[in-house]
Amino acid sequence: QVQVVESGGGLVQPGSSLTLSCVASGFNVDDYAIGWFRQAPGKEREAVLCISSQGGNPSYADSVKGRFTVSRDSAKNTVNLEMVGLKPEDTAVYYCAAENYWFPVCDLIEDEYDYWGQGTRVTVSS
């Protein structure tokens, strides 16, 4: 059974760093595109970034470029979202999603993703 589970959320102060993890089961993270999305209170879910299956190439939403990065740990079958310089507007529930798509470029379109986690909440506040 294909499953992804997010962890690592919490309450942090503005300017802090935080790493979220997406642990996969039922498939290898090297074979799927993995996307991170977020939904802020009262807003629609939006793409944050993704990492492609073939080549592990990342794509970023403009709002997080230069602050968020993604990495893939094949040994742990995990994809990490590393966030620095967090702002109050980064407050959201963060979701990990998997797309069974072998390609060197990943999608920032949530409809393309087949499997979703339950989300982990990040609150940035002083």
Side-chain angles (χ1 to χ4, degrees):
Q1 182 180 358
V2 173
Q3 191 175 9
V4 291
V5 178
E6 308 92 338
S7 64
L11 171 62
V12 297
Q13 293 188 338
S16 298
S17 301
L18 193 66
T19 296
L20 306 182
S21 295
C22 173
V23 179
S25 58
F27 69 100
N28 292 323
V29 291
D30 293 344
D31 298 332
Y32 280 55
I34 302 296
W36 281 95
F37 298 80
R38 67 185 181 185
Q39 187 166 21
K43 295 188 177 181
E44 294 187 352
R45 190 158 57 188
E46 63 175 3
V48 176
L49 51 74
C50 61
I51 183 167
S52 71
S53 51
Q54 187 178 358
N57 301 309
S59 294
Y60 300 93
D62 289 342
S63 59
V64 303
K65 281 181 181 177
R67 298 190 300 125
F68 290 12
T69 57
V70 62
S71 62
R72 191 164 66 187
D73 186 337
S74 302
K76 296 182 179 179
N77 214 30
T78 296
V79 172
N80 295 317
L81 169 60
E82 296 147 5
M83 306 181 290
V84 301
L86 283 164
K87 305 175 182 180
E89 51 263 44
D90 294 317
T91 294
V93 177
Y94 283 73
Y95 298 90
C96 167
E99 180 186 10
N100 186 4
Y101 186 49
W102 181 250
F103 201 67
V105 179
C106 55
D107 296 306
L108 289 173
I109 302 171
E110 62 177 272
D111 288 347
E112 298 294 325
Y113 288 82
D114 308 301
Y115 307 98
W116 290 79
Q118 293 300 306
T120 185
R121 185 175 301 276
V122 174
T123 302
V124 184
S125 176
S126 55

